[in-house]
Amino acid sequence: MDQPPSSVKLLGSWADSHTHRVQLALKLKGLEFEYQEEDFINPSPALLLHNPVYKKVPALLHGGRSIVESIVILQYIDETWTDNPIMPADPSERAVIRFWCHFTDDKLAPAVGLVFSSSGEGQKAAVDQVHENLKLLERELKDGAFKGRRFFGGDKIGLLDIVLGCGSYWLAVFEEVMEVKLIDPNPSPSSMHGCETSRSNRR
Amino acid sequence: MAAASATTEEVKLLGLWVSPYVTRAGIALNLKKVGYEFVQVEVLGQKSEILVKSNPVYKKIPVLIHQGKPICESAIIVEYIDEIWTSEAPILPSHPLDRAVARFWATYIDDKVGLLAFPCGIRFYAPNSIFFWQLLALLKALAVEAAEESSKAETVDQVTEVLQLLEDAFAECSHGKDCFGGDTIGYVDIVLGSCLGWIKAVEEMENVRLLDEKKVPLLVGWAERFLQDKAVKEVTPERDEYVQYAKMISASAR
């Protein structure tokens, strides 16, 4: 099911990692799209129209409808434009990918945010929490569901790579701004490699 | 791909039926006519070893174990069930846009479950209770600390707002039919419907009307039909069971 490329429009914000997820997915699918920059602090009438419930970016406009929530959008893109799939075909592998996407947004991302918004002992605890969360992912890369893979998606970048990768540079920014070490190259060599490979593939 | 009637040894569901998340998995398995072994997980006391082993990241129910592989997170479990057992009626719609709409409402509902299912100052504190750590976290997030009339009224207002939105969602998704999923129970029906047991229990415990037929007539009609469905009835405890459970947890916290 191929749609004319000009019919895809993305409302997003330059600093929003969820917007980047969608941009990356569209690029991986080789799709052209119109991009509209939105002020995510003061939502425009367009954003209020297309995401009345959450009033946030990103919002994907396609075929006269709007799709919101980044993970929902990514799956929509994958199911509409079926070349270069970003989700595996096997249901149990799909469940694993969905689980770690949920983990990223539910546990990892808030923990990183907490590092940024806390200080002193609280920040130390938050940093420890991030390390714990990254260790869980690292374990899957070493011995678990993603053992021996170049990317979480296998040989090619998949949905989980997109979700994780589009936050990884923020880890570096937080590290610099907050002068904390979130990604320790020693305990997590494989996820470092994954981050770097994802990052270089995005350019 | 497994046949619709997997042998009972192949499918295990770990949980407690008072958890709406567990109910979701049960409904999906029943809709697909899949036989399974239900493993009740102890709530108070030590965390069950099989649970910790199969869900080391969250240590939460439900966990579906199929052919030795654990699947965690209720919404993910429901999609998995839908993708494995395809000979019965589909749970998610087939068109990508309809699927996106369904997933969106499921995400929204899960955002609001704490509000929908456990409003109005019900305080639970059970350190070893797997299920109620989730609940406590939700309650804390909502800052529902006391059952004072004003905060109760505010919470009811918030719930009403959410239900109003879901009333509109029902009109949009059902296309005039009986379910969010159209003719048959679908993804959003399961995600929201699994909360009905608690919503009704809270209505009784707190003497409030949340599902008000004057405000959300479509949802009220849908709820009645949903709870009567055989696939749902079997895995939804009676109201009194929820109420007793709430009392037990409150009492054990003191």
Side-chain angles (χ1 to χ4, degrees), chain A residues 75 78-79 85-99 145-146 149 152-153 159, chain B residues 1-2 66-67 69-71 76-77 79-86 99 103:
Chain A
Q75 292 185 93
D78 200 40
E79 290 169 4
I86 56 175
M87 277 287 264
D90 176 70
S92 61
E93 286 187 38
R94 290 159 72 84
V96 168
I97 296 292
R98 286 177 178 137
F99 175 82
F146 310 117
R149 293 189 189 186
F152 290 98
L159 198 145
Chain B
M1 207 144 314
H66 180 222
Q67 295 169 334
K69 281 184 273 195
I71 318 285
I76 295 173
I77 291 171
E79 283 214 56
Y80 174 81
I81 290 168
D82 197 35
E83 290 173 0
I84 288 277
W85 290 284
T86 53
R99 292 160 76 84
R103 285 178 179 137

Side-chain angles (χ1 to χ4, degrees), chain B residues 66-229:
Chain B
H66 180 222
Q67 295 169 334
K69 281 184 273 195
I71 318 285
C72 307
E73 292 302 308
S74 62
I76 295 173
I77 291 171
V78 172
E79 283 214 56
Y80 174 81
I81 290 168
D82 197 35
E83 290 173 0
I84 288 277
W85 290 284
T86 53
S87 56
E88 293 296 327
I91 291 172
L92 265 111
S94 50
H95 193 281
L97 182 62
D98 296 329
R99 292 160 76 84
V101 170
R103 285 178 179 137
F104 169 77
W105 287 116
T107 305
Y108 175 78
I109 290 160
D110 267 350
D111 230 2
K112 304 292 178 191
V113 161
L115 189 60
L116 284 173
F118 318 107
C120 305
I122 295 172
R123 272 179 283 180
F124 297 111
Y125 180 64
N128 297 313
S129 160
I130 299 146
F131 171 40
F132 285 102
W133 265 126
Q134 298 166 240
L135 170 57
L136 186 66
L138 286 167
L139 285 175
K140 277 189 175 158
L142 294 168
V144 179
E145 286 297 327
E148 290 170 12
E149 279 312 306
S150 59
S151 82
K152 185 155 118 173
E154 268 169 44
T155 313
V156 172
D157 283 345
Q158 284 171 18
V159 174
T160 305
E161 222 177 280
V162 169
L163 290 175
Q164 204 62 64
L165 198 56
L166 292 171
E167 172 89 352
D168 295 341
F170 183 81
E172 176 195 344
C173 297
S174 64
H175 303 299
K177 298 194 176 153
D178 280 351
C179 307
F180 282 92
D183 284 315
T184 52
I185 287 178
Y187 192 57
V188 181
D189 299 278
I190 294 173
V191 169
L192 182 59
S194 53
C195 301
L196 287 170
W198 270 113
I199 292 175
K200 290 189 178 282
V202 167
E203 282 181 331
E204 182 175 302
M205 286 188 282
E206 294 294 320
N207 197 27
V208 291
R209 179 65 71 89
L210 299 171
L211 280 165
D212 186 343
E213 64 258 15
K214 292 196 199 75
K215 296 182 182 165
V216 287
L218 295 178
L219 280 187
V220 170
W222 162 80
E224 268 165 48
R225 291 190 299 273
F226 183 83
L227 289 169
Q228 288 307 309
D229 190 288

